[in-house]
Amino acid sequence: MGDAATYQITLAGSEQQYPCAADDTLLRAALRAGIGMPYECNVGSCGTCKVELVEGAVDSNWPEAPGLSERDRGRKRVLGCQSRPSADCVIKARTAPQYQSSCRPQRVAASLRLCRDLTHDIREFRFQLAHPVSFLPGQYALLSLPGVSGPRAYSLANIDLGDGDWQFQIKRTPDGAGTKALFDRLDVGATVHIDGPYGLAYLRRDCRRDIVCIAGGSGLAPVLSIARGVAADAAMAAVKVHLFYGGRGARDICGERELQALPGYGERFFYHPIISLPDSQPDSQPNSQPGAAWSGKVGFVHELALEVMGPSLPDHEIYFAGPPAMAQAVQAMLMAANVPGEQVHFDAFY
Ligand SMILES: Cc1cc2nc3c(=O)[nH]c(=O)nc-3n(C[C@H](O)[C@H](O)[C@H](O)COP(=O)(O)OP(=O)(O)OC[C@H]3O[C@@H](n4cnc5c(N)ncnc54)[C@H](O)[C@@H]3O)c2cc1C
Ligand code: FES
């Protein structure tokens, strides 16, 4: 942010050029300029944003990022999401309209307004942006945290009301640098820098199919945002939403209270929780009776979605989010259930 030098980036083989500040990245500056450059995670892990550096020079925010192999490095490939220009550049990159951001991402200062525990290790963080930036239900943002190298991606849990209120639901990662800063060092009133919105798993508002949302662990926020987006859209008043949420033990289960707050809960909004390890932890989740035994479903969240929705799954629009292992299991289940790929929208949480 601020007064960094700006370089000109040219897409080889086309007339397209865009400006990129020295403290921005090739990918994010392209998206800010309305160019549809492919990406997914934005944090160096997936490799979708690889581009070839034909001329010029870049520095990497994270030289060891797992999204780039040694072979890529030998071929002058760089990760668009990690590469800061230090000169004007010519790059070879695919572009496609589906990657264009309808809400252009911006870098904004934000102050922490409120924290609230949802479970023993998931906390809601509510930020007030210095000025409002639009986002779509299901999108995510990058948070730069004091003392942490590289921003972390977090999905928005709320919907955009034009007031700069951005809410996140974040799961503490044992020994995680970003979540340690968030949970242990960030006080209400503190300022961080937020960059967003990003992400392609946003609510398709022109689609009238009923919706299945599947989330595990840290993946609650985007599916809650999708459900809230449906509830707020009069044109989607006939759309039903089934939200499946999986945790390890009873104390990991959350989100029902937030869904219950939506008009039409039990009629068009349905909550289906499941745990995979019933004996793993004591029951201490805030939404349940202390000491109450788990009497709900036991198994994996993708299995429950298949059991409840059965052969109707391909008639639904599907949104899912969570850790890579869960995302792979959900994808395999949806393929086996013959759900068309264009009806499936997700962000894997690397
Ligand atoms: C699209 C997306 C949405 C997500 N949404 C949520 C959400 O809503 N809630 C939630 O709890 N989690 C979410 N995550 C996961 C989250 O971004 C973090 O990975 C998680 O909180 C652990 O972060 P940590 O810093 O505590 O752990 P760490 O182990 O310290 O870091 C984990 C991640 O940070 C990045 N990273 C690590 N080191 C560097 C570095 N030097 N430079 C740059 N990047 C680095 C990598 O992507 C790595 O996977 C999401 C992830 C993605 C990709
Ligand atoms: S978008 Fe750059 S590595 Fe995933």
Side-chain angles (χ1 to χ4, degrees):
M1 302 177 89
D3 304 326
T6 297
Y7 297 105
Q8 202 63 21
I9 313 299
T10 305
L11 296 180
S14 83
E15 297 302 306
Q16 251 179 331
Q17 288 194 324
Y18 64 92
C20 181
D23 63 352
D24 206 352
T25 69
L26 297 179
L27 168 72
R28 293 174 205 146
L31 298 172
R32 291 185 221 292
I35 295 170
M37 203 174 276
Y39 73 104
E40 276 178 48
C41 72
N42 227 319
V43 289
S45 295
C46 72
T48 310
C49 65
K50 274 177 220 169
V51 300
E52 190 182 320
L53 185 63
V54 180
E55 279 176 44
V58 297
D59 294 314
S60 176
N61 282 342
W62 189 17
E64 310 80 28
L68 203 63
S69 65
E70 277 314 311
R71 193 155 168 255
D72 290 324
R73 289 185 174 91
R75 293 177 162 190
K76 292 190 81 174
R77 289 194 181 142
V78 298
L79 291 176
C81 72
Q82 300 300 317
S83 300
R84 280 177 286 113
S86 52
D88 288 344
C89 294
V90 178
I91 59 171
K92 222 183 250 178
R94 291 179 294 132
T95 59
Q98 69 265 31
Y99 294 103
Q100 276 168 3
S101 302
S102 60
C103 302
R104 301 264 181 106
Q106 295 181 37
R107 298 190 279 181
V108 188
S111 69
L112 181 60
R113 254 196 3 203
L114 207 108
C115 290
R116 176 173 78 104
D117 283 340
L118 300 185
T119 70
H120 65 108
D121 65 355
I122 299 183
R123 187 175 291 175
E124 186 167 278
F125 294 86
R126 209 163 161 169
F127 289 90
Q128 178 62 46
L129 267 55
H131 64 83
V133 176
S134 302
F135 65 89
L136 301 173
Q139 289 197 292
Y140 69 87
L142 299 173
L143 272 62
S144 295
L145 300 162
V148 179
S149 159
R152 298 295 189 264
Y154 293 108
S155 303
L156 286 139
N158 61 326
I159 56 172
D160 176 27
L161 297 177
D163 54 2
D165 176 23
W166 285 32
Q167 300 173 21
F168 303 91
Q169 291 166 349
I170 299 178
K171 185 176 168 70
R172 186 194 276 272
T173 299
D175 302 321
T179 48
K180 193 166 181 41
L182 278 159
F183 279 74
D184 299 341
R185 297 204 298 270
L186 209 64
D187 295 324
V188 169
T191 298
V192 301
H193 288 106
I194 294 189
D195 183 359
Y198 295 101
L200 305 165
Y202 53 81
L203 176 64
R204 271 48 179 183
R205 286 194 163 118
D206 49 357
C207 177
R208 296 291 170 265
R209 265 188 283 274
D210 289 339
I211 289 175
V212 167
C213 290
I214 307 174
S218 55
L220 180 68
V223 295
L224 209 48
S225 177
I226 295 281
R228 286 169 164 164
V230 173
D233 192 335
M236 300 188 89
V239 172
K240 293 192 175 93
V241 177
H242 287 269
L243 194 157
F244 294 87
Y245 184 70
R248 285 160 68 86
R251 65 176 183 163
D252 298 320
I253 296 301
C254 60
E256 183 171 21
R257 190 179 292 172
E258 288 72 18
L259 211 65
Q260 272 171 346
L262 301 181
Y265 181 77
E267 290 157 18
R268 50 185 290 248
F269 293 97
F270 305 94
Y271 181 72
H272 309 273
I274 186 164
I275 64 170
S276 56
L277 294 171
D279 301 325
S280 64
Q281 303 137 335
D283 185 342
S284 59
Q285 56 134 340
N287 292 356
S288 73
Q289 295 300 314
W294 178 256
S295 56
K297 291 278 184 181
V298 174
F300 290 112
V301 68
H302 63 283
E303 296 167 346
L304 182 62
L306 183 62
E307 181 189 318
V308 173
M309 305 313 296
S312 76
L313 262 180
D315 305 328
H316 290 75
E317 204 71 6
I318 317 276
Y319 298 87
F320 68 89
M326 185 217 97
Q328 278 167 20
V330 173
Q331 259 179 311
M333 180 277 286
L334 295 174
M335 273 177 72
N338 294 319
V339 179
E342 60 275 15
Q343 287 169 219
V344 179
H345 316 283
F346 71 98
D347 284 317
F349 287 10
Y350 293 93

